[in-house]
Amino acid sequence: VTQLDRKTEILDAALALADERGLEAVTMRALAQRLGVTAMALYPHVGGKDGLLDGLVDRMLAELLPAAQAEGDAAKRLFAIGHAARALARRHPSAYALLLSRPSVTPDAVRVVDAMYSALLELGVPDAEVPRVERLLSTFALGYATSEVNGRFSMGTLNPRGQRAQFGPDEVPAHRRLAEVLEEAPDWDAEYAADLEDLLLLIQQRWSRSS
Amino acid sequence: VTQLDRKTEILDAALALADERGLEAVTMRALAQRLGVTAMALYPHVGGKDGLLDGLVDRMLAELLPAAQAEGDAAKRLFAIGHAARALARRHPSAYALLLSRPSVTPDAVRVVDAMYSALLELGVPDAEVPRVERLLSTFALGYATSEVNGRFSMGTLNPRGQRAQFGPDEVPAHRRLAEVLEEAPDWDAEYAADLEDLLLLIQQRWSRSS
DNA sequence: ACCTGAACACCGTTCAAGT
DNA sequence: ACCTGAACACCGTTCAAGT
């Protein structure tokens, strides 16, 4: 079983390296050096760079699992998972994007999805719609956290004046009309919470309690 | 102006290369060879590998712009943008993930956002909420398309029997209850359309026409 | 102004060899 | 069973040089 422990040791080191110096600094050689070993010593355990990155996805999903198994009613559990997904991104900003680009069927991944299925069923979503709604929610949560840690949101907002200056009058009329609103720096915690509430509201209104 | 044309020529070639052989095959050397030139000849035009990838994001957003300027009522325009974002992913599956990880403030990017702002205002979303709802919608659209082209969706669904076999009885109860539903292969076109409809429904119910 | 060629410091990975 | 060391075929990028 020291095999498995060694693998998680390696993955932990890789994740720490990604957190500290970015995903592109996660090199077989740099990772090996951090572990006091040669790069080729890693291959039997993680199976090359691709296997290493898949392993990082698994490790992150394992970190998400406890939140998925929290207590409370269905809506509360979905909020907990949603906030945990965002907290995970803040903990591992550089590695997080892997979650959207590398499929994973780790047992822990299935368990997280199962927790969401259960909550949606409890909320009255019909069986046939549950997988779709789960994908809608998880896609939004992963996409939001990814966008946030990668800075996709902080540019329509950073200096809207200088930005509008590139355009002629009424070339971007909505930006002009929203000028004052766009001046304010958004509170991302509040925005994300509001988004989750809206999505839960959608679910409750669309399939109001029949069970 | 042959400067700019040369740059878009290079970006077009890079995008084509990514479409044909994957983003990791987009190498300064391989790209240069495709253009019948030396790798270092690219540097003055695109400014290194990072600038090249930023350029790919800009090119893709430019491809999205025509759909954003389509005709019709507000809801119809939002659908058009949503579907165009997914079509873009199918056209450039490998490069698409860059949209979520590399911020862009290209004029075309601002124009696309402006079109969404306009549609949301027309639907009755209050000024203060428009930027948040735009981020919600664009995040979902980008995240969904990215997940789809990267295969994140095709694994809870591919062979659900073999997957459940890893677990003891009632360890994943929701998967068990949804067994029949999970057997069916989803129609992704229909699912994405249903998601967009649900999100539009949310908007219309939450801020029902007061204007 | 635009391109080339050689060079540098890196990659992931293979493979024979050690213990 | 686990690790090493040298080697191979690549990277992105710098820099002096050509025209």
Side-chain angles (χ1 to χ4, degrees), chain A residues 97 99-108 110-111 113-115 117-118 121 125-140 142-147 150-157 163 166-167 171-178 181-182 186 188 190-192 194-196 198-199 201-202 205-207, chain B residues 97 99-108 110-111 113-115 117-118 121 125-140 142-147 150-157 163 166-167 171-178 181-182 186 188 190-192 194-196 198-199 201-202 205-207:
Chain A
L99 290 174
L100 269 171
S101 59
R102 302 185 87 89
S104 165
V105 255
T106 266
D108 285 349
V110 178
R111 277 185 263 260
V113 173
D114 201 75
Y117 284 172
S118 293
L121 287 167
V125 177
D127 287 22
E129 301 270 35
V130 164
R132 170 173 80 87
V133 177
E134 187 279 331
R135 284 189 284 269
L136 197 166
L137 292 179
S138 63
T139 296
F140 169 73
L142 290 176
Y144 194 94
T146 301
S147 296
N150 287 323
R152 189 176 77 87
F153 290 158
S154 334
M155 14 121 266
T157 56
Q163 200 171 286
Q166 307 175 5
F167 298 93
E171 216 200 333
V172 285
H175 277 78
R176 176 172 297 268
R177 162 154 173 195
L178 297 171
V181 168
L182 291 173
W188 302 114
E191 167 155 331
Y192 185 71
D195 285 349
L196 290 184
D198 279 352
L199 291 172
L201 184 70
L202 166 67
Q205 288 192 345
R206 184 104 159 56
W207 300 283
Chain B
L99 290 174
L100 268 170
S101 59
R102 302 186 88 89
S104 165
V105 255
T106 266
D108 285 348
V110 178
R111 278 186 262 259
V113 173
D114 201 76
Y117 284 172
S118 292
L121 287 168
V125 178
D127 287 22
E129 302 271 33
V130 164
R132 170 173 80 85
V133 177
E134 187 279 328
R135 283 188 284 268
L136 197 165
L137 292 180
S138 63
T139 295
F140 168 74
L142 290 177
Y144 193 94
T146 301
S147 297
N150 287 323
R152 187 175 79 87
F153 290 157
S154 333
M155 15 120 265
T157 55
Q163 202 171 286
Q166 309 176 2
F167 299 93
E171 217 200 333
V172 284
H175 278 77
R176 176 173 296 269
R177 161 154 174 196
L178 297 172
V181 168
L182 292 173
W188 302 113
E191 167 155 331
Y192 186 71
D195 286 349
L196 291 185
D198 279 353
L199 291 172
L201 184 70
L202 166 67
Q205 288 191 345
R206 183 105 160 55
W207 300 284

Side-chain angles (χ1 to χ4, degrees), chain B residues 35-57:
Chain B
L35 290 161
V37 98
T38 269
M40 315 70 185
L42 305 174
Y43 278 77
H45 297 103
V46 299
K49 184 74 180 281
D50 248 49
L52 178 71
L53 296 181
D54 285 338
L56 289 185
V57 171

